[in-house]
Amino acid sequence: MTLIDGKQTAADIKKEIAAEVEKMVAQGMRRPHLAAILVGHDGGSETYVASKVKACHECGFESSLLRFEDNITEAELLKAVDDLNNNPEVDGFIVQLPLPRHIDEQRVIEAVDPAKDVDGFHPINVGKLSIGLPGFRSATPAGIIELLRRYHIPTRGKHCVVIGRSNIVGKPVAQLMLHKGDVGDATVTICHSASENLPEIVRQADIIIAAVGRPGFVTADMVKDGATVIDVGTTRVPDATRKSGFRLSGDVDFDSVAPKCAYITPVPGGVGPMTICSLMLNTLQAAHQRNT
Ligand code: NAP
């Protein structure tokens, strides 16, 4: 069994990005600039945004963080989005989700200029991904593909079962696995909460991508020998032994599943660090597009 080390892979990619940024600066271009909008004080969102700011620093990017209280109106938030759309110093930006309930998330996503939508959530980028056109790819799916590529895991003709059909993970990763060429060319099945005989379907998979949000959902009896297992799940479960009071748990029952696998991602340290890396790669791409 090979453990897929997302943390190390992400560190390698960030070094590659930083080297490219220094080349850009030496050629007189300005540093890529990623901005983030954070509304409220949700613990998970604070952590994610802090890691994004740290990753910007490691990659040599400019970063800015716009904070708003959770009583911000939708109109005020849309105005902040519009300001970033029109700010020539900003290459790309994200609006950290979830947003407070009184704000229509989809309206905010659609207000972001697709050319600055480095999260890849705007319908234009989602559509481009779906038909294989260049555009910003949703960060977690792009990170999973990069892990498969860097570990030379064969996908062509393989049966990939994705568990979960969310717009940010399940559906886009299934599309990418389906694309022709390179990492792709897989036969893809998507399972969800209404799927019948789910364990039987998952047992047929050469590659399992679990994006369910239920700790330990994938058990050893669902995994065939020699499969590759990508665990996207990151559920906070209470843990009194940790300073934070919780630990992150994946969707896969790691201890029983790992011995059966050819490759498996741990949680934490698997897909998570790659998500932030993909965001950095998208921002680099945005900066190149604005410089050309
Ligand atoms: P989501 O929007 O809640 O989607 C979960 C999917 O799982 C849904 O499609 C749901 O089916 C399906 N599901 C739920 N219970 C099921 C069951 N009993 N049997 C079969 N399918 C079931 O979640 P998400 O945003 O895709 O995220 C999934 C997990 O990945 C979460 O733990 C999240 O925290 C994590 N995540 C991690 C990263 C990272 O960077 N590591 C990034 C994004 C998400 P229905 O559609 O039928 O409801």
Side-chain angles (χ1 to χ4, degrees):
M1 183 273 289
T2 301
L3 194 66
I4 299 178
D5 189 343
K7 205 170 162 190
Q8 184 58 51
T9 309
D12 294 345
I13 295 174
K14 280 186 275 188
K15 271 193 200 141
E16 291 164 18
I17 297 174
E20 194 171 332
V21 168
E22 291 320 310
K23 264 196 227 155
M24 288 168 73
V25 171
Q27 287 165 6
M29 292 180 225
R30 62 173 175 71
R31 292 179 183 278
H33 183 171
L34 174 68
I37 292 181
L38 177 59
V39 179
H41 299 274
D42 172 75
S45 297
E46 293 268 3
T47 309
Y48 291 132
V49 169
S51 339
K52 286 163 190 173
V53 170
K54 181 167 169 268
C56 280
H57 183 70
E58 289 165 341
C59 292
F61 292 2
E62 301 272 350
S63 74
S64 34
L65 175 57
L66 283 76
R67 282 180 166 273
F68 297 99
E69 291 303 321
D70 51 18
N71 60 0
I72 186 174
T73 65
E74 188 176 287
E76 285 165 338
L77 185 57
L78 290 171
K79 166 81 171 63
V81 166
D82 200 43
D83 288 347
L84 288 176
N85 284 341
N86 292 311
N87 184 341
E89 301 294 315
V90 170
D91 296 299
F93 65 98
I94 59 151
V95 182
Q96 183 65 43
L97 303 179
L99 292 171
R101 292 164 70 96
H102 65 278
I103 293 176
D104 180 343
E105 250 176 38
Q106 194 57 31
R107 187 173 292 165
V108 174
I109 288 170
E110 291 185 28
V112 176
D113 178 351
K116 292 192 175 187
D117 168 43
V118 286
D119 253 341
F121 291 167
H122 192 287
I124 290 204
N125 284 316
V126 174
K128 284 181 171 175
L129 177 142
S130 125
I131 58 172
L133 289 177
F136 296 120
R137 293 173 168 194
S138 180
T140 302
I144 293 169
I145 298 296
E146 196 54 28
L147 278 180
L148 295 171
R149 183 193 324 281
R150 291 198 180 221
Y151 275 82
H152 307 289
I153 295 168
T155 59
R156 184 177 163 79
K158 303 296 180 193
H159 187 190
C160 173
V161 175
V162 178
I163 318 174
R165 56 174 163 184
S166 70
N167 289 339
I168 63 164
V169 188
K171 279 185 208 145
V173 81
Q175 294 275 8
L176 292 172
M177 291 300 286
L178 197 59
H179 281 173
K180 257 187 188 298
D182 203 4
V183 181
D185 270 336
T187 303
V188 180
T189 304
I190 307 179
C191 294
H192 45 77
S193 66
S195 296
E196 287 181 5
N197 305 325
L198 183 143
E200 206 174 296
I201 297 167
V202 178
R203 252 191 307 276
Q204 295 166 28
D206 302 300
I207 301 168
I208 299 167
I209 302 177
V212 195
R214 295 186 174 226
F217 183 87
V218 177
T219 47
D221 61 301
M222 296 185 197
V223 179
K224 80 171 175 193
D225 285 333
T228 291
V229 175
I230 307 291
D231 189 352
V232 187
T234 45
T235 306
R236 285 180 168 199
V237 295
D239 184 342
T241 67
R242 306 285 172 103
K243 211 170 79 186
S244 59
F246 68 86
R247 67 188 152 79
L248 286 185
S249 177
D251 288 339
V252 175
D253 180 25
F254 186 89
D255 290 343
S256 68
V257 168
K260 300 185 82 175
C261 296
Y263 295 89
I264 187 166
T265 59
V267 176
V271 173
M274 292 299 293
T275 297
I276 293 184
C277 237
S278 304
L279 184 67
M280 299 298 120
L281 284 167
N282 280 348
T283 305
L284 184 65
Q285 183 186 327
H288 276 306
Q289 279 162 8
R290 295 180 71 76
N291 274 308
T292 51

